[in-house]
Amino acid sequence: VLQVHVVNADGTGDHAVTRMPRDEGSAQIPAWSPDGRRLAIQVTNGPKHLGHIWVIDLASGAATKLGAHTEPYHDEVPAWFPDGQRIAFQSDRTGRLEVWVMRVVGEEQRQLTK
């Protein structure tokens, strides 16, 4: 299972910031929040055909799954809006990859492209 690590610019201080359970999948594609205190990550479980966006609070280590679902689709490649309140991501919910947006609390998911 892949995990996301943070390392100092000089190569020291390597430490994992995710500890995803194997049944959730592999953590990858990190994106820093505008204030540098959180990471949005993609967690993909290939065998289950599921992908979710998670937010990691770097100070506490708390991990929150956004827009949880059980349908066989992938939410992936997170990118923060400059306000730090929304995340854009791509999803194949409609049967093809489209750009979506949701609030950092996982609410108000809506499709932006068609």
Side-chain angles (χ1 to χ4, degrees), residues 83-95:
D83 65 8
Q85 299 301 309
R86 296 169 291 158
I87 294 176
F89 61 100
Q90 71 181 23
S91 181
D92 62 356
R93 298 168 182 221
T94 63

Side-chain angles (χ1 to χ4, degrees), residues 1 4 16 24 34 36 39 41 49 55 59 64 68-69 81 86 101-102 114:
V1 174
V4 174
E24 285 292 343
L39 283 175
I41 60 169
H49 302 288
V55 171
T64 305
H69 57 81
F81 275 70
R86 296 169 291 158
V101 66
M102 69 179 143
K114 295 190 190 271

Side-chain angles (χ1 to χ4, degrees), residues 42 53 74-78 88-92 97-100:
Q42 164 186 325
I53 304 298
H74 291 93
D75 294 345
E76 53 191 18
V77 193
F89 61 100
Q90 71 181 23
S91 181
D92 62 356
L97 286 175
E98 299 290 351
V99 177
W100 289 68

Side-chain angles (χ1 to χ4, degrees), residues 29-110:
I29 319 293
W32 288 98
S33 66
D35 64 9
R37 296 188 304 208
R38 297 170 290 174
L39 283 175
I41 60 169
Q42 164 186 325
V43 177
T44 304
N45 186 319
K48 292 184 180 178
H49 302 288
L50 291 174
H52 289 95
I53 304 298
W54 289 68
V55 171
I56 310 298
D57 180 280
L58 295 172
S60 69
T64 305
K65 186 190 297 187
L66 304 184
H69 57 81
T70 57
E71 294 83 4
Y73 53 75
H74 291 93
D75 294 345
E76 53 191 18
V77 193
W80 292 84
F81 275 70
D83 65 8
Q85 299 301 309
R86 296 169 291 158
I87 294 176
F89 61 100
Q90 71 181 23
S91 181
D92 62 356
R93 298 168 182 221
T94 63
R96 54 185 271 174
L97 286 175
E98 299 290 351
V99 177
W100 289 68
V101 66
M102 69 179 143
R103 294 186 42 77
V104 175
V105 293
E107 298 170 351
E108 300 175 26
Q109 301 166 35
R110 64 185 171 89

